[in-house]
Amino acid sequence: MIKDIKQYILNKNEICLDLETTGLNPWLNKILLISLGNESQQFCIDVRNTNKNDIIELLILLKNKLIIGHNTKFDYKFLYYNY
């Protein structure tokens, strides 16, 4: 599945990103799910069952993309401290 998500990201200029976490504190709480996609396709990744290096590779692919999110400041802090 990660391979499919990587291919999807490569072909898009903008990606929606959202996280589900165990709480509100990025230093104490963890990420549960990462949702990536757009209006026609969504991928939900359970990070508890996914290799950390695969998640990092996905995040690197987002480097030059327009990321659309809600409360992105919150998500960024969690991604920064967890990955």
Side-chain angles (χ1 to χ4, degrees), residues 2-83:
I2 295 294
K3 183 174 131 181
D4 296 332
I5 300 170
K6 287 179 185 178
Q7 189 61 41
Y8 178 81
I9 290 172
L10 285 173
N11 295 324
K12 302 295 178 196
N13 293 325
E14 42 187 62
I15 298 289
C16 297
L17 172 96
D18 190 36
L19 301 182
E20 299 302 326
T21 65
T22 59
L24 301 175
N25 188 327
W27 296 278
L28 300 175
N29 301 120
K30 300 291 181 196
I31 298 170
L32 295 173
L33 296 170
I34 298 176
S35 176
L36 297 168
N38 64 13
E39 66 278 348
S40 63
Q41 180 76 41
Q42 285 289 319
F43 297 96
C44 290
I45 305 160
D46 184 346
V47 300
R48 298 169 297 175
N49 300 323
T50 306
N51 183 310
K52 191 169 187 171
N53 289 331
D54 288 337
I55 300 296
I56 291 170
E57 288 177 16
L58 285 175
L59 296 174
I60 289 170
L61 290 177
L62 296 175
K63 182 178 172 184
N64 295 318
K65 308 291 181 183
L66 174 64
I67 298 173
I68 301 166
H70 175 72
N71 200 6
T72 309
K73 183 178 177 181
F74 173 85
D75 292 347
Y76 176 80
K77 286 179 185 177
F78 267 89
L79 290 171
Y80 182 82
Y81 288 109
N82 286 270
Y83 292 98

